[in-house]
Amino acid sequence: MSKDLRIVFMGTPDFAVASLDILVQNGFNVVGVITAPDKPAGRGLQLQQSAVKQYAVSKGLKVLQPEKLKNPDFISALKDLKADLQVVVAFRMLPEIVWNMPPEGTINVHASLLPNYRGAAPINWAIINGEKASGVTTFKLQHEIDTGDILFSDEVAIREDETAGELHDALMHTGARLLLKTVQAIAAGNVKETPQAHIPAADIKHAPKIFKETCQINWQQPIDDIYNLVRGLSPYPAAWTLFQGKTLKIYKARKEHTKPAKAPGDFDTDQRSYIRIAAPDGYLYLDEIQLEGKKRMDVEAFLRGYRFA
C-alpha cells in the first residue's frame, strides 16, 4: 500500500501539528484534516483558527470543521474522502461510526506509556505523581477510551525540575516520530497489535480532566508533592493558593527540605528577593508568580511593587 495510503488526520492544538507535519514532510497522502470549529478569542472576540487548521491551510489540505461528529452531512463528507486510515492526535472522543469507518482503522497518538495515564491530562498527572519517565503510545481506537491495542511506544525521561509545558514539547516531537514509524509499518503491512489487558485495572494510573479545585495547593502535604503539583500544572492551568486574600498562581518554584519555623501555608519574605511558603517538611520558594489582577512576573519584580497588608 506504501504512500498511496489515504490518510485523514484529526487534531486541534499545537501538540498535533508536529504529527501532521511529519506525515506531510514524508510524502504521505493526507486527503483531509478534521479540526475544531473556529472560536472567538481575545478582547475583540475575533474568530481564531486552531493550530492544526492554520497549518493545514498553509499546506493546501482539505479541512472539515464539524460542530458535531455524528452530523449526517459530516459523516457523508468524511466517507467521500475514502480514507484507508485515520490518525487522531489531541482531538475529541470519536463516535464508532467515525473511528470504525476506514479499512485500516483509526490510530491515536497518546502522551503516556499506556495502559497508564489513560484520560484527558496524561502529561500533567505524570509530573504531579512524581514519575521519573513518561512517553508516547500509538494504538488502535476502540470503544473504551485509550484502551485499544498498542502498536508502538517510546519512553521519555522526566527531569526532576521539568514542567508540564516542557514535557509537552518533548512528547510532541517524540509522538510525531512514533506516528511516522507507525504509519510506515501500517503502509508496509508490518504492524503487530498488543492488547492492553496485561495489567490489572486496579493497578492502572489514570489521568482525569483537571479542574480548578485540582490546582489548589494543600499546604499540609509533603513539600515534594506540592513541588510536583506546581511543575505538573505549569504553565497551564497553574497551581494556586490564597495569598493575603487573593488568588496567587505559581508557575515556577524551588523546594527546600527542612523543618520550617512557620505553620503549613504561612509565608515568609524579606520583601526584596524571596517569598517562601511552609509545608510540614520544607519550604516552597516562589520564583515566577501571578497575583489576581496582575501580570505574570518573577518574584523579585513582584516584591518591588507589592505592599504587604
Side-chain angles (χ1 to χ4, degrees):
M1 194 176 287
S2 71
K3 291 184 181 176
D4 295 333
L5 197 69
R6 293 176 64 84
I7 297 173
V8 164
F9 184 92
M10 303 183 182
T12 295
D14 285 330
F15 188 88
V17 173
S19 289
L20 176 55
D21 179 60
I22 207 165
L23 295 177
V24 171
Q25 296 301 331
N26 281 273
F28 279 96
N29 184 18
V30 180
V31 296
V33 173
I34 318 301
T35 191
D38 299 350
K39 290 186 177 172
R43 288 186 177 175
L45 294 180
Q46 298 284 322
L47 281 179
Q48 189 165 336
Q49 300 176 347
S50 74
V52 163
K53 180 180 178 181
Q54 291 175 40
Y55 175 86
V57 169
S58 77
K59 297 297 181 182
L61 300 173
K62 181 178 179 64
V63 176
L64 298 177
Q65 296 176 273
E67 288 279 355
K68 294 183 178 175
L69 297 177
K70 291 183 180 178
N71 181 295
D73 291 339
F74 168 65
I75 297 298
S76 175
L78 188 60
K79 283 180 179 171
D80 287 345
L81 294 174
K82 297 182 171 58
D84 299 304
L85 175 71
Q86 291 175 161
V87 172
V88 179
V89 185
F91 197 55
R92 0 176 195 161
M93 282 185 66
L94 303 183
E96 183 174 0
I97 193 172
V98 172
W99 61 255
N100 208 18
M101 190 180 292
E104 294 292 334
T106 298
I107 61 170
N108 184 216
V109 177
H110 186 72
S112 82
L113 296 173
L114 289 172
N116 279 323
Y117 296 108
R118 294 171 180 163
I123 295 173
N124 306 95
W125 283 108
I127 293 181
I128 290 169
N129 289 342
E131 299 288 359
K132 299 290 188 281
S134 179
V136 286
T137 306
T138 51
F139 70 98
K140 281 273 187 83
L141 283 190
Q142 60 184 38
H143 284 286
E144 295 295 322
I145 188 166
D146 299 337
T147 61
D149 291 352
I150 291 170
L151 304 175
F152 294 100
S153 61
D154 196 359
E155 184 172 303
V156 173
I158 300 176
R159 298 191 321 272
E160 192 174 338
D161 63 347
E162 194 159 12
T163 65
E166 291 164 341
L167 181 58
H168 166 283
D169 292 350
L171 294 181
M172 175 172 67
H173 297 295
T174 303
R177 292 190 296 270
L178 194 69
L179 173 64
L180 178 62
K181 176 181 177 179
T182 304
V183 174
Q184 286 171 335
I186 291 170
N190 183 27
V191 69
K192 180 188 171 193
E193 300 182 17
T194 305
Q196 289 192 46
H198 61 287
I199 291 186
D203 295 341
I204 292 172
K205 299 170 185 175
H206 293 278
K209 188 174 179 180
I210 288 172
F211 297 96
K212 185 178 181 183
E213 53 268 27
T214 316
C215 305
Q216 184 173 13
I217 296 171
N218 175 1
W219 295 102
Q220 300 293 336
Q221 289 190 311
I223 190 65
D224 286 345
D225 291 355
I226 293 169
Y227 178 66
N228 291 341
L229 184 74
V230 170
R231 291 191 302 126
L233 296 172
S234 177
Y236 181 83
W240 64 275
T241 190
L242 288 176
F243 184 80
Q244 297 203 307
K246 290 189 173 181
T247 299
L248 181 76
K249 290 183 176 181
I250 304 171
Y251 296 96
K252 286 188 181 176
R254 289 163 291 127
K255 61 181 176 177
E256 178 188 31
H257 290 97
T258 186
K259 183 62 182 169
K262 298 277 186 179
D266 287 352
F267 76 90
D268 184 16
T269 179
D270 63 357
Q271 300 193 18
R272 292 188 315 278
S273 62
Y274 75 84
I275 302 173
R276 61 184 186 178
I277 303 178
D281 58 343
Y283 284 107
L284 189 76
Y285 281 79
L286 311 187
D287 287 337
E288 205 168 310
I289 57 179
Q290 182 177 12
L291 190 65
E292 184 181 329
K294 303 285 186 181
K295 290 182 179 178
R296 176 174 168 173
M297 62 185 76
D298 66 59
V299 75
E300 289 183 8
F302 172 82
L303 287 170
R304 281 197 294 273
Y306 187 74
R307 296 293 167 261
F308 285 87

